[in-house]
Amino acid sequence: MSIRIDYSNMIGGAAGGIPAEEWMSSAAAFENAHAGFTRLREGGKVGFADVVGDAALLEQVESYADSVTGRYADVVILGIGGSALGPVALRTALSPSGWNLLSDDARGGFPRLHALDNVDPVTIAALLGRLALAKTLFIVTSKSGGTAETMSQFLIVHERLGNAGLTIADHVVFITDPAQGALRPLAATLGVTALDIPPSVGGRFSVLTAVGTLPAALLGIDIRSLLEGAADMARRCDVARASENPAGVYATLQWLADTRHGKRINVFMPYSDPLRDMAAWFVQLWAESLGKHTADGESVGQTPLPALGATDQHSQVQLFMEGPEDKTVTFVSVSDRGMDVRIPHAFADVKELGYLGGHTLGELIDVEQRATAGALAKRGRPNLTINLDRVDEWHVGGLIMLLELATAYAGQLYGVDAFDQPGVELGKQFAYALLGRPGADAARKEWDTLPEPDSRWSV
Ligand code: PA5
């Protein structure tokens, strides 16, 4: 069982990468970053790396999951951002392909899992219209316990369950901070079970708490192994020497590539369908954590871009090869996919088909990943490959922890707080003002100072 990073294609001045001497001399910067993060961790401000070993949190999730086993055909997450991206990534990675389309028998009696991570009425009306509410559990996930999108969804579901004569507490569970927001007191009023997101774990770092582990447990995913893989990676990363710390390698290389070599874009490209939703999860993590103002007012942060191999070889890879030299590419490869499909021998005399026979699809996708990495390197486009032995609970837990720690270190290297998101506040306040939420008067006044749309600039 292992997770390795091959970063040979990131190093080398002439090849468009980071000169080896520069990489070596960044050791002190990483040591500082590691020390800064360790202070936050030891001070109890940032807990995502520690809660994976918290037996009480695990017990909370397992006992709730056990208590509802076999009761539901469908589970629906109401949540947005970090409350939805992680659980969806776990479902795609760790449940059989096409899970929601499988019959009850093929799912082994485990429920389907849906995530309503937006407020487009088209999607919500369609899903609620086709679910059998009597056999549905709604997981309302909100760290803050007050996010407008999630609260609206909850109000709609609450009304629908009431209209169907169903008891709310039998069909709803909350996952939220124990000490803030509306959900915790509402849980008491409604008799709904509420599971904890520890105060020291922010939304986009919460997938390894009940936010991700409850939906995963309900689908029969081995959450103990997921957490063990994560804890193992956290131990591997408990070292201040960047070259020995996988998350340190990742964070420092991306930071150097961005701030010194103009690689403003970080393409995240798994060559694995099960890992495709990990890309969306990583995009939120990297973007919302690092796109910030520093204390000096400088705007920093590398833009993450999701891609999928081999599919995107026929789409974005042209841009990666010949477009602006402003990108790094992170490939994720998998050694053992647990199964393979042989490509049959046929049409031996047809040039485009004959050479494929006798190979396997697993071989093809691996060769294409290596070929793309090599071609990018040949063109001076830096890239690295994170290799997982397998896509199973242990490795996925490790990958998540690797990327979360890398994000935390990168925050230190850029000189920003990776754990807040002040930039989304103004838009939220404007929306509150327009919807008439109490306390939004100042935002309303600011909104009213915006110029009216100018008809000259409309077509
Ligand atoms: O990472 C974050 O903090 C955010 O993206 C949140 O996950 C998102 O805003 C949802 O917030 P909440 O979980 O408080 O409803």
Side-chain angles (χ1 to χ4, degrees):
M1 302 211 284
S2 87
I3 299 177
R4 294 171 299 276
I5 305 180
D6 177 351
Y7 57 100
S8 322
N9 290 344
M10 287 292 285
I11 305 290
I18 295 156
E21 314 72 60
E22 189 179 320
W23 163 239
M24 310 284 196
S25 61
S26 63
F30 178 70
E31 269 178 38
N32 279 335
H34 186 269
F37 173 62
T38 304
R39 276 194 298 278
L40 292 177
R41 207 173 151 176
E42 289 176 355
K45 183 172 183 290
V46 177
F48 72 86
D50 299 299
V51 296
V52 294
D54 187 324
L57 286 176
L58 178 62
E59 153 68 16
Q60 219 187 36
V61 168
E62 287 185 333
S63 66
Y64 179 79
D66 287 349
S67 74
V68 299
T69 300
R71 270 172 58 185
Y72 306 108
D74 290 275
V75 171
V76 184
I77 296 168
L78 309 182
I80 196 163
S83 296
L85 289 159
V88 169
L90 292 182
R91 179 197 62 191
T92 310
L94 299 172
S95 298
S97 181
W99 178 255
N100 283 356
L101 303 173
L102 301 178
S103 67
D104 292 349
D105 276 353
R107 295 197 317 277
F110 293 109
R112 288 174 283 268
L113 179 70
H114 317 268
L116 287 177
D117 63 348
N118 201 351
V119 282
D120 192 320
V122 171
T123 320
I124 296 186
L127 182 67
L128 294 183
R130 67 175 189 267
L131 290 175
L133 291 183
K135 293 283 286 171
T136 301
L137 174 70
F138 294 91
I139 304 180
V140 185
T141 303
S142 177
K143 169 76 199 284
S144 62
T147 300
E149 294 88 344
T150 308
M151 296 306 112
S152 310
Q153 294 172 344
F154 169 64
L155 288 170
I156 293 163
V157 163
H158 177 260
E159 183 187 66
R160 299 270 179 124
L161 290 171
N163 290 346
L166 296 165
T167 306
I168 304 296
D170 290 343
H171 293 275
V172 173
V173 58
F174 293 158
I175 302 180
T176 192
D177 192 299
Q180 63 163 331
L183 290 182
R184 190 60 61 164
L186 260 185
T189 311
L190 297 169
V192 163
T193 302
L195 307 184
D196 295 338
I197 308 174
S200 63
V201 181
R204 58 190 170 276
F205 290 87
S206 67
V207 55
L208 297 173
T209 69
V211 171
T213 58
L214 177 64
L218 294 173
L219 300 195
I221 291 169
D222 179 354
I223 59 172
R224 285 184 174 247
S225 179
L226 181 80
L227 296 175
E228 277 161 20
D232 184 77
M233 180 57 74
R235 279 191 293 276
R236 261 181 89 185
C237 294
D238 204 5
V239 41
R241 194 189 290 266
S243 58
E244 291 169 20
N245 179 328
V249 166
Y250 191 81
T252 309
L253 287 173
Q254 297 298 344
W255 170 70
L256 289 172
D258 175 11
T259 57
R260 305 213 185 143
H261 301 277
K263 309 301 181 200
R264 308 304 312 270
I265 296 174
N266 177 350
V267 178
F268 191 84
M269 187 169 186
Y271 270 66
S272 157
D273 280 346
L275 296 177
R276 67 194 304 159
D277 290 331
M278 289 292 304
W281 169 81
F282 174 72
V283 162
Q284 185 217 10
L285 183 69
W286 202 250
E288 202 172 11
S289 302
L290 304 177
K292 303 270 162 76
H293 290 153
T294 65
D296 301 335
E298 191 195 349
S299 294
V300 299
Q302 201 188 26
T303 302
L305 184 69
L308 178 70
T311 309
D312 268 299
Q313 286 179 202
H314 302 269
S315 171
Q316 301 193 81
V317 167
Q318 169 62 36
L319 174 76
F320 305 161
M321 291 290 288
E322 295 187 350
E325 295 189 42
D326 57 358
K327 300 172 193 65
T328 65
V329 180
T330 297
F331 295 105
V332 186
S333 68
V334 179
S335 300
D336 175 2
R337 291 168 200 271
M339 55 89 68
D340 210 342
V341 175
R342 191 182 64 84
I343 306 173
H345 285 286
F347 309 107
D349 51 345
V350 180
K351 184 170 74 168
E352 292 84 352
L353 277 66
Y355 73 100
L356 292 168
H359 294 291
T360 67
L361 291 181
E363 218 183 323
L364 180 61
I365 195 167
D366 289 341
V367 162
E368 294 204 0
Q369 186 271 318
R370 284 169 38 222
T372 305
L376 284 167
K378 194 85 190 146
R379 294 278 175 93
R381 310 281 166 138
N383 62 87
L384 60 81
T385 301
I386 303 174
N387 176 266
L388 310 189
D389 276 356
R390 282 185 290 286
V391 181
D392 61 11
E393 284 87 344
W394 192 90
H395 288 86
V396 168
L399 178 65
I400 288 170
M401 184 55 70
L402 166 67
L403 296 169
E404 288 186 342
L405 285 168
T407 305
Y409 296 146
Q412 296 285 323
L413 289 162
Y414 280 105
V416 298
D417 181 347
F419 306 102
D420 66 1
Q421 50 283 327
V424 301
E425 256 326 291
L426 186 57
K428 260 195 211 172
Q429 291 300 328
F430 280 166
Y432 291 157
L434 295 171
L435 289 166
R437 177 172 154 151
D441 306 344
R444 179 78 227 191
K445 283 204 187 101
E446 205 177 341
W447 173 262
D448 289 338
T449 65
L450 282 171
E452 286 297 314
D454 186 326
S455 60
R456 286 175 304 164
W457 317 130
S458 156
V459 66

